[in-house]
Amino acid sequence: QVQLEESGGGLVQPGGSLTLACTATGSISGLYAMGWYRRAPGQQRDLVATITIHGLTNYAASVKGRFTISYDNSKNTVLLQMNSLKPEDTAVYYCALLSSVGTTWGRGTQVTVSS
């Protein structure tokens, strides 16, 4: 069974930066990508960014140019570097592991952008 451990959320001022980390442990089979999604208050969960095990990335238009996703294959860890944060980035951020057997979700970490 795969488990995802997220870290790095918190409170930051507009224009600031945060880095989220997510490490996958357990029996991982058929992995092809990892990523981050977010759910703002009253909204559905939306894609933020994904990265395949071969390094191909995909970003939501709202974060392109500000966020960078990276993947450390040796540690099964995905990072999300978030720069120039805006109040509208406030959400619970969820790590996702995408494999041939389905999607595994983390428990989520809160990111709040406020002055």
Side-chain angles (χ1 to χ4, degrees):
Q1 186 174 357
V2 178
Q3 291 187 327
L4 301 177
E5 182 174 348
E6 300 145 325
S7 62
L11 173 65
V12 64
Q13 292 186 342
S17 298
L18 280 176
T19 300
L20 304 183
C22 173
T23 298
T25 58
S27 178
I28 302 171
S29 177
L31 173 67
Y32 64 84
M34 292 188 73
W36 291 93
Y37 292 71
R38 67 187 181 187
R39 177 179 285 146
Q43 303 294 318
Q44 65 182 16
R45 185 161 53 189
D46 291 325
L47 168 75
V48 176
T50 59
I51 184 168
T52 71
I53 57 174
H54 303 296
L56 296 177
T57 59
N58 182 42
Y59 293 94
S62 60
V63 307
K64 198 171 292 185
R66 299 188 296 122
F67 292 9
T68 302
I69 191 168
S70 60
Y71 177 63
D72 185 335
N73 186 39
S74 66
K75 299 179 181 178
N76 284 330
T77 295
V78 61
L79 301 177
L80 184 69
Q81 174 68 44
M82 304 185 293
N83 298 325
S84 303
L85 283 161
K86 304 175 182 180
E88 51 264 44
D89 294 317
T90 295
V92 178
Y93 284 69
Y94 297 90
C95 177
L97 184 148
L98 290 74
S99 74
S100 58
V101 298
T103 300
T104 301
W105 295 98
R107 299 176 69 175
T109 184
Q110 177 71 44
V111 172
T112 302
V113 185
S114 175
S115 55

